[in-house]
């Protein structure tokens, strides 16, 4: 339980700590399938946030395989495998099958409903996504991550005012959940509320103790929100970490640079960045959809 709670915080440090608890559980009972499933989830969470995603995902799949060998009815293992299926292997069909299996085995498995909500949103099934994330919240009320992802579902549904209100609710529950601030300023940006987007951006930069905060403030004073976006691009390009590729591509779209946007989207696909799942319905990429290169990206991912 300590391990699962740490993984739910969705950051690398917590996931690393979670592994130690799952390992302790396995030392106590080497046949405890849920501990192996938890390890799989932790390794997957780490993989999302490190340059070499492949190594972590391989470890995740090995742990999940062990869990299912020990208990073929382990809902946590199916849920973890389902999330990896669509977010890393880009196999939405098998991912959905595993998540449905997890829910059938354990209807009150909030993590399985959460995973199914994301898969549904990335597939454009927004009504189903809303139902699934709300089910997760009914099972585990007050979970900040689920509140955040209810906002993300609304965002991908292009219901920006509702998304903004929902993300603010998630922040009220957990002020330091960085991703809630990140999605909030994106939603405000899509609404055209650039002043609000800037305020949220600054709060995120303050929360993360970003050394570039003063330069962002100068950029906003000189050119407004576009200036902040330009400065963000400049700084991101200095960062060789491939985890920024997808976000950098969307920022290039914001400032009208399609060539660089496609360059970084292809890099994100090469790395198998989890954000690539957003591709078909991410509103930030709408200006690229009429370009034949966008269709090629979709084909590379193998969307059905």
């Amino acid at each position: 339980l300590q391990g699962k709670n740490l993984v739910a915080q969705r950051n690398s440090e917590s996931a690393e700590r979670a592994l130690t608890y799952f390992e302790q559980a396995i030392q106590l009972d080497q046949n405890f399938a849920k501990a192996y499933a938890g390890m799989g989830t932790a390794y997957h969470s780490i993989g999302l946030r490190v340059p070499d995603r492949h190594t972590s995902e391989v470890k995740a799949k090995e742990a999940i395989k062990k869990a299912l060998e020990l208990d073929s009815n382990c809902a946590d293992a199916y849920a973890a495998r389902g999330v990896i299926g669509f977010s890393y292997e880009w196999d939405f069909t098998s991912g959905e099958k595993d998540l449905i299996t997890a829910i059938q085995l354990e209807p009150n498995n909030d993590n399985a409903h959460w995973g199914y909500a994301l898969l549904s949103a990335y597939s454009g099934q927004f009504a189903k996504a809303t139902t699934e994330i709300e089910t997760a919240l009914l099972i585990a009320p007050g979970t900040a991550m689920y509140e955040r992802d209810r906002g993300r579902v609304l965002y991908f549904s292009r219901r920006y005012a509702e998304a903004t209100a929902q993300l603010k609710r998630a922040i009220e529950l957990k002020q330091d959940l960085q991703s809630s601030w990140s999605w909030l300023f994106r939603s405000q940006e899509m609404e055209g509320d650039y002043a609000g987007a800037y305020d949220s951006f600054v709060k995120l930069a303050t929360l993360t103790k970003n050394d570039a905060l003063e330069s962002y403030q100068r950029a906003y004073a000189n050119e407004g929100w576009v200036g902040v976006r330009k400065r963000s691009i400049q700084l991101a390009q200095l960062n060789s970490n491939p985890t920024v590729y997808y976000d950098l591509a969307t920022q290039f779209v914001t400032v009208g640079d399609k060539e660089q946007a496609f360059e970084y989207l292809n890099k994100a696909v090469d790395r198998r960045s989890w954000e690539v799942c957003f591709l078909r319905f991410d509103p930030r990429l709408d200006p690229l959809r009429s370009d034949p290169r966008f269709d090629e990206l979709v084909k590379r991912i193998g969307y059905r």
Side-chain angles (χ1 to χ4, degrees):
L1 287 174
Q2 287 174 304
K4 288 181 74 172
N5 288 335
L6 283 166
V7 170
Q9 294 180 24
R10 292 303 191 267
N11 62 69
S12 295
E13 181 182 348
S14 295
E16 292 280 4
R17 288 172 57 206
L19 284 173
T20 65
Y21 284 110
F22 293 131
E23 287 164 358
Q24 287 176 35
I26 290 167
Q27 286 173 3
L28 292 168
D29 181 357
Q30 294 186 359
N31 295 319
F32 190 26
K34 284 192 172 186
Y36 286 100
M39 287 182 71
T41 302
Y43 278 124
H44 170 67
S45 184
I46 292 167
L48 299 180
R49 298 166 176 86
V50 295
D52 180 17
R53 183 180 183 188
H54 176 72
T55 299
S56 295
E57 296 292 5
V58 168
K59 290 180 179 179
K61 290 193 286 185
E62 288 174 350
I64 293 166
K65 181 181 178 183
K66 179 66 174 177
L68 289 172
E69 287 173 353
L70 291 169
D71 180 2
S72 61
N73 291 320
C74 181
D76 285 344
Y78 283 107
R81 194 172 73 176
V83 171
I84 292 172
F86 75 78
S87 70
Y88 179 65
E89 297 172 342
W90 300 331
D91 188 339
F92 279 65
T93 301
S94 67
E96 182 175 34
K97 182 179 178 181
D98 278 338
L99 288 163
I100 290 173
T101 298
I103 291 167
Q104 289 173 338
L105 288 169
E106 191 177 316
N108 285 333
N109 189 306
D110 54 296
N111 195 51
H113 286 285
W114 165 77
Y116 199 17
L118 295 188
L119 181 150
S120 299
Y122 302 158
S123 304
Q125 301 174 76
F126 299 118
K128 183 185 289 185
T130 299
T131 298
E132 289 299 322
I133 198 64
E134 289 178 351
T135 301
L137 279 164
L138 284 171
I139 297 167
T143 302
M145 184 183 70
Y146 298 161
E147 294 284 1
R148 177 205 66 190
D149 284 337
R150 187 171 186 273
R152 285 209 294 175
V153 169
L154 290 164
Y155 173 87
F156 285 114
S157 305
R158 290 168 165 74
R159 295 158 62 181
Y160 302 121
E162 293 172 79
T164 295
Q166 177 60 35
L167 289 162
K168 287 180 178 178
R169 181 188 305 175
I171 288 167
E172 287 176 4
L173 284 168
K174 189 171 176 57
Q175 290 278 334
D176 62 348
L177 187 59
Q178 297 173 15
S179 55
S180 292
W181 288 105
S182 180
W183 285 98
L184 176 59
F185 83 69
R186 292 168 184 167
S187 183
Q188 290 168 316
E189 178 182 49
M190 296 306 291
E191 280 188 277
D193 179 10
Y194 301 123
Y198 174 69
D199 286 343
S200 298
F201 183 90
V202 167
K203 287 174 182 175
L204 175 62
T206 303
L207 183 65
T208 58
K209 298 178 181 178
N210 193 316
D211 294 336
L213 179 57
E214 289 187 6
S215 69
Y216 286 130
Q217 292 170 329
R218 288 194 296 272
Y220 188 74
N222 290 330
E223 294 185 78
W225 179 244
V226 172
V228 174
R229 279 305 202 184
K230 289 179 180 178
R231 182 59 179 151
S232 180
I233 287 171
Q234 291 170 352
L235 293 173
Q237 285 184 295
L238 297 175
N239 182 354
S240 59
N241 191 331
T243 59
V244 305
Y245 288 161
Y246 185 89
D247 186 63
L248 190 50
T250 64
Q251 292 190 62
F252 274 117
V253 176
T254 303
V255 298
D257 190 337
K258 290 186 178 181
E259 296 305 313
Q260 290 277 32
F262 276 113
E263 178 182 340
Y264 279 96
L265 281 175
N266 276 289
K267 286 182 177 181
V269 172
D270 290 340
R271 182 193 174 257
R272 303 190 79 84
S273 297
W274 69 276
E275 298 99 328
V276 171
C277 293
F278 304 161
L279 195 70
R280 285 190 297 176
F281 298 100
D282 192 334
R284 295 171 291 180
L285 301 181
D286 285 353
L288 305 182
R289 297 187 190 282
S290 61
D291 192 304
R293 289 175 293 181
F294 192 85
D295 292 334
E296 288 301 315
L297 277 172
V298 172
K299 288 177 184 177
R300 284 189 65 192
I301 297 163
Y303 276 126
R304 293 170 174 81

